[in-house]
C-alpha cells in the first residue's frame, strides 16, 4: 500500500488538473463578456466572459505553490537539517535573484494603450520589472548550466 502522503499528493494533483481544465473550458467556451465586463477598447477584440475565473485560479495556484513550498521546506528542515541545506541554498539564491531583479527594475510610468489605471507606475511597475528580469536571469543561468553540463560530460 502506498504511503499516505503519496496518495494525498496524487489526489490533490488530479483535483488541480480537473479545476484547471474546467476553468480553461469556461474561459475558451464560456462566451463573450457582456454588460460592464466589456472593455471599450476595441470592438473587434475578443473578450471572454470568464477572464476573472482564470485570473482567480492563477492567484490560487500561486498561493497554493507558495504555501506548499514553505510547508515542505519547514518539514524537511525539521526532519533532516543536514539534507535541507540544499533547499536553503536555493531559497537564498532565489532571494538574491529577486533582489537583483528589483534593483534592475524601474518605477517610471509605463504607457499602455487604452489603460488609464495607476498600476503601471511605482511599486507595481518595479515588481513587474523584477519578475521579468528574474526570469531572464534564471533562463541565462539554466542555459549556462546546460552547456557546462554537456561540456563536463563530453570531457569525462
Amino acid at each position: 500500500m502506498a504511503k499516505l502522503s503519496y496518495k494525498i499528493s496524487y489526489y490533490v494533483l488530479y483535483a488541480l488538473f480537473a479545476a484547471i481544465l474546467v476553468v480553461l473550458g469556461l474561459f475558451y467556451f464560456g462566451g463573450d463578456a457582456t454588460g460592464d465586463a466589456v472593455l471599450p477598447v476595441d470592438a473587434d477584440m475578443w473578450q471572454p466572459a470568464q477572464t476573472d475565473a482564470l485570473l482567480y485560479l492563477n492567484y490560487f495556484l500561486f498561493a497554493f505553490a507558495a504555501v506548499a513550498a514553505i510547508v515542505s521546506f519547514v518539514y524537511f528542515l525539521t526532519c533532516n537539517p543536514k539534507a535541507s541545506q540544499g533547499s536553503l541554498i536555493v531559497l537564498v539564491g532565489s532571494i538574491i535573484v529577486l533582489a537583483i531583479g528589483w534593483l534592475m527594475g524601474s518605477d517610471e510610468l509605463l504607457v499602455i494603450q487604452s489603460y488609464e489605471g495607476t498600476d503601471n507606475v511605482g511599486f507595481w511597475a518595479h515588481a513587474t520589472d523584477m519578475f521579468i528580469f528574474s526570469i531572464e536571469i534564471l533562463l541565462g543561468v539554466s542555459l549556462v548550466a546546460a552547456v557546462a553540463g554537456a561540456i563536463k560530460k563530453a570531457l569525462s
Side-chain angles (χ1 to χ4, degrees):
M1 179 158 198
K3 289 176 64 174
L4 179 63
S5 61
Y6 175 78
K7 280 186 169 183
I8 290 172
S9 65
Y10 178 82
Y11 290 122
V12 167
L13 174 69
Y14 284 106
L16 290 175
F17 281 160
I20 290 168
L21 288 175
V22 166
V23 171
L24 283 176
L26 286 172
F27 179 76
Y28 285 113
F29 306 114
D32 295 337
T34 58
D36 292 339
V38 176
L39 300 174
V41 226
D42 187 1
D44 296 332
M45 185 173 70
W46 178 54
Q47 298 179 23
Q50 302 300 327
T51 303
D52 288 344
L54 186 63
L55 290 172
Y56 290 134
L57 176 70
N58 282 314
Y59 296 149
F60 168 76
L61 291 175
F62 179 77
F64 184 80
V67 168
I70 291 169
V71 167
S72 65
F73 177 72
V74 170
Y75 174 76
F76 288 126
L77 189 63
T78 57
C79 289
N80 192 354
K82 189 162 190 115
S84 64
Q85 288 177 348
S87 298
L88 187 60
I89 290 170
V90 169
L91 177 67
V92 170
S94 299
I95 292 171
I96 289 171
V97 167
L98 288 173
I100 291 170
W102 181 269
L103 293 174
M104 291 172 61
S106 169
D107 59 355
E108 292 181 19
L109 175 67
L110 179 63
V111 179
I112 303 172
Q113 181 180 1
S114 300
Y115 178 74
E116 307 199 3
T118 59
D119 291 335
N120 58 345
V121 66
F123 172 80
W124 289 113
H126 225 64
T128 303
D129 283 347
M130 174 187 70
F131 287 121
I132 291 171
F133 287 130
S134 298
I135 289 170
E136 292 171 352
I137 290 169
L138 292 174
L139 179 64
V141 168
S142 61
L143 288 174
V144 168
V147 169
I151 291 172
K152 181 180 176 184
K153 184 177 178 181
L155 294 177
S156 62

